[in-house]
Amino acid sequence: MIVATAAALLAAMTLVMCRALMGPTAYDRVLALNNIGTKTVVLIAVLGFLNGRPEFLDLALVYALINFIGTIAVLKYIEYGDLGAGSPPEGRG
Amino acid sequence: MQTLVDALSGALLAGGAFFLLAGALGMVRLPDVFTRMHAGGMTDTMGAGMVLAGLAVHSLASEHWGVTARLVLILGFLWFTSPIATHAVAKAALSGGVRPFTLDGNGDDARAMAGGEGPAGSATAAKGGASS
């Protein structure tokens, strides 16, 4: 059953990757990438159980953190054009 | 006992796989970014939740408490960050000028409700305009 879940995860990741490649707007791509990241977290956990190495769960935890931070960073870059290191805030209005 | 554990975790894993595949199908088939968020949110909540719960049944039955604690941590973290990320995508898409898909072809009412247009939402409109 764990193998079937891993296969379903891979199939779902393939479908969402199609959306990330097709996506008409950048927001579709960001949403699809965030979704793929979540599926990757679950896939790492499932593979850890499949190989009998539950230490993989630590990697999954770190991957969940990095995925969230990365999504927020990419969204901020798309919305404002930089990550806040450039001009002061009053220069944008 | 072992049969019960296998049946319970098998049912949870199968349900999670169903939600994962249904959410992925929705990501491909639904018409615009806001409806796709709905499919993606279902994947994060039910798909990941049921799969990780099925794994937790295994680790609970073999009395690996540390593994169970890590699974609960991952699940709690996913359940906190997924709505935040989805909300951020929705806010960025609205202020970036994406029109929500409606049956009559325009999304003006949804944009006005979110403060993307009109005098009440001028701050959001100014922020969205600065990036373009």
Side-chain angles (χ1 to χ4, degrees):
Chain A
M1 202 59 227
I2 294 184
V3 182
T5 308
L9 269 166
L10 286 174
M13 283 167 83
T14 311
L15 283 174
V16 179
M17 182 63 87
C18 288
R19 173 51 64 195
L21 291 175
M22 289 190 304
T25 66
Y27 307 107
D28 289 291
R29 298 176 205 270
V30 174
L31 186 68
L33 281 182
N34 182 34
N35 214 314
I36 288 175
T38 306
K39 287 178 172 60
T40 308
V41 171
V42 183
L43 183 66
I44 292 173
V46 167
L47 284 185
F49 270 77
L50 202 57
N51 295 330
R53 296 184 63 186
E55 314 91 64
F56 275 33
L57 289 177
D58 295 333
L59 304 184
L61 200 52
V62 173
Y63 201 94
L65 285 158
I66 292 176
N67 181 38
F68 174 63
I69 300 294
T71 302
I72 297 297
V74 170
L75 274 177
K76 189 173 179 188
Y77 184 73
I78 290 175
E79 200 171 359
Y80 295 110
D82 64 54
L83 289 176
S87 54
E90 64 268 17
R92 292 201 198 101
Chain B
M1 184 63 193
Q2 192 57 41
T3 316
L4 182 67
V5 166
D6 280 347
L8 190 56
S9 85
L12 282 169
L13 287 174
F18 167 75
F19 275 104
L20 285 169
L21 287 174
L25 197 62
M27 286 289 284
V28 175
R29 295 268 304 162
L30 287 175
D32 78 337
V33 65
F34 299 103
T35 50
R36 280 173 207 138
M37 277 169 209
H38 164 63
M42 189 182 66
T43 302
D44 290 350
T45 319
M46 284 307 286
M50 287 179 83
V51 169
L52 292 179
L55 296 180
V57 168
H58 267 297
S59 69
L60 272 178
S62 56
E63 300 191 351
H64 287 130
W65 307 122
V67 174
T68 312
R70 286 189 183 89
L71 283 171
V72 171
L73 266 180
I74 293 175
L75 192 54
F77 196 77
L78 280 183
W79 278 356
F80 269 102
T81 56
S82 156
I84 298 173
T86 307
H87 176 83
V89 174
K91 195 165 160 290
L94 264 184
S95 72
V98 177
R99 290 299 181 95
F101 174 83
T102 52
L103 286 180
D104 58 354
N106 64 31
D108 289 338
D109 45 351
R111 268 176 72 82
M113 267 167 54
E117 266 182 2
S122 56
T124 313
K127 271 197 291 183
S131 65
S132 59

